[in-house]
Amino acid sequence: MSKLRLIYLTLAIWGAIHPMYYFAQWFGEHGFSLGQMVAAWHANAATSGLVWDLTIAAITLTIWIVAEVAVRRNWLALVAIPATFCIGVSCGLPLYLFLRTRPLD
């Protein structure tokens, strides 16, 4: 595995684990309430801006993944889409780059 692919994989793992630490803390304090979490995301203009920034980045990444998969036929790369929306862009983007740079047989 190339050093670059190893970096992408490391970032994908970090991008999955690190944010979950904070989500777990939040759920521990507030219970598993997605409604309360969404309300917290829009607690002020700064957090709303960050949520929209990440939402637009996630949508853009999804369009890029679908467009490239249609051309490259690298179907495995599609797993980066649920990773992006279920975990976060911090996991989905490096995961996609890891999968995109794999050697094709």
Side-chain angles (χ1 to χ4, degrees):
M1 182 180 315
S2 73
K3 288 181 184 179
L4 184 59
R5 288 195 79 226
L6 187 58
I7 290 169
Y8 290 149
L9 181 59
T10 302
L11 288 170
I13 293 167
W14 182 24
I17 294 171
H18 197 148
M20 288 304 154
Y21 168 78
Y22 295 100
F23 288 137
Q25 277 186 325
W26 193 90
F27 285 129
E29 292 174 16
H30 302 282
F32 192 75
S33 172
L34 292 178
Q36 281 185 324
M37 181 175 260
V38 170
W41 290 344
H42 296 285
N44 57 52
T47 58
S48 290
L50 184 58
V51 166
W52 280 109
D53 180 63
L54 291 171
T55 301
I56 293 166
I59 292 168
T60 304
L61 176 58
T62 299
I63 293 168
W64 181 34
I65 292 170
V66 169
E68 284 219 334
V69 164
V71 172
R72 300 172 123 235
R73 302 289 191 238
N74 180 9
W75 304 110
L76 182 60
L78 290 172
V79 302
I81 295 172
T84 299
F85 287 98
C86 295
I87 300 171
V89 177
S90 63
C91 175
L93 176 58
L95 177 62
Y96 175 66
L97 293 173
F98 172 76
L99 295 170
R100 183 182 186 274
T101 55
R102 76 181 173 97
L104 299 176
D105 299 325

